[in-house]
Amino acid sequence: MNGLLEPSFAITVLPYVTVVVMAFGFALRLARWFIAWKEAPVMGKVAVTRHGRFLGVVENWTVNMLPPRDLAAKYEPGFYVVGVTMHLSFIALLLTNVHEFALLKFLLPGVELASSPFYVPKPWSHVLSAVFLVSLLLMILRRIRHWVSGRALRAISSARDFVAAPLLWLVGLSGFLASIAASTWPYPLPTYIITLHIVIVQVFLMYVPFSKFIHGVTVFIVRTLFGVRRAEYGV
């Protein structure tokens, strides 16, 4: 465990392992999608496009995501709000200064980088962390409740759903603790907490291609193509 929590290992060796595992996972997922498409291809094509494809894409990214059109908002408006809150707080947390700097440093190694003028400062980042942790925990508990009681979500749940979401919650928790430890906890605790956060993030990233969280990567493609298809059918 001590070796795993060595900062040099977490930021120099483990990232390469993460990239390899993610690449393998995405290749495997794409192969499975291709095989499924070959075995059951979509039959026929739409003869006439009833609405402009571009307008269909725009509509699917705007109007169809609003509560009056979104199915989740119609059936469970409370958890629709919780889900939107979780996603928005997660995106906002990615815009904290340390995350922006770490990402740019990874993408542009060896380049001297200045602090970004566009980032979420403290203590707002702490507030966002709390909001994210609470909203994601509520979503996890909701799925557990549906699983135990045999309600709607059980039909689309699998054991992997109870791995990915808790992993993401641990990412948020370790990040929250790391942000606090960096300025208030005695050395060397901050080093271990920050390194633990980096390790958990990479474990989560390695698991993404094998879980439903792959939608975070494919959502741009899927939602755009679905908007094109809705336009073709005039939906």
Side-chain angles (χ1 to χ4, degrees), residues 119-181:
Y119 67 92
V120 179
K122 296 178 182 178
W124 294 112
S125 58
H126 293 336
V127 174
L128 283 171
S129 292
V131 169
F132 171 73
L133 290 171
V134 171
S135 57
L136 179 55
L137 180 60
L138 288 174
M139 295 183 72
I140 293 172
L141 293 176
R142 169 183 174 242
R143 189 170 288 273
I144 293 175
R145 177 169 170 262
H146 276 240
W147 178 271
V148 172
S149 61
R151 300 181 68 182
L153 284 181
R154 177 161 186 156
I156 58 173
S157 297
S158 67
R160 288 179 294 180
D161 294 319
F162 299 100
V163 176
L167 258 180
L168 183 59
W169 193 83
L170 288 176
V171 167
L173 178 63
S174 61
F176 179 56
L177 294 177
S179 66
I180 296 175

Side-chain angles (χ1 to χ4, degrees), residues 94-234:
L94 293 179
L95 299 178
T96 56
N97 196 33
V98 65
H99 288 149
E100 289 185 14
F101 185 82
L103 179 60
L104 291 174
K105 200 68 177 176
F106 179 76
L107 297 175
L108 303 170
V111 177
E112 289 296 327
L113 300 171
S115 177
S116 169
F118 306 104
Y119 67 92
V120 179
K122 296 178 182 178
W124 294 112
S125 58
H126 293 336
V127 174
L128 283 171
S129 292
V131 169
F132 171 73
L133 290 171
V134 171
S135 57
L136 179 55
L137 180 60
L138 288 174
M139 295 183 72
I140 293 172
L141 293 176
R142 169 183 174 242
R143 189 170 288 273
I144 293 175
R145 177 169 170 262
H146 276 240
W147 178 271
V148 172
S149 61
R151 300 181 68 182
L153 284 181
R154 177 161 186 156
I156 58 173
S157 297
S158 67
R160 288 179 294 180
D161 294 319
F162 299 100
V163 176
L167 258 180
L168 183 59
W169 193 83
L170 288 176
V171 167
L173 178 63
S174 61
F176 179 56
L177 294 177
S179 66
I180 296 175
S183 58
T184 60
W185 293 8
Y187 182 83
L189 282 178
T191 301
Y192 283 111
I193 295 297
I194 292 170
T195 305
L196 179 64
H197 175 62
I198 294 172
V199 170
I200 296 176
V201 167
Q202 294 184 77
V203 171
F204 172 74
L205 290 175
M206 283 187 270
Y207 190 65
V208 163
F210 305 95
S211 71
K212 291 179 182 177
F213 274 61
I214 196 173
H215 78 268
V217 180
T218 59
V219 62
F220 301 101
I221 298 173
V222 172
R223 196 159 192 90
T224 299
L225 293 179
F226 191 54
V228 171
R229 182 48 56 95
R230 287 174 69 99
E232 290 176 340
Y233 283 104

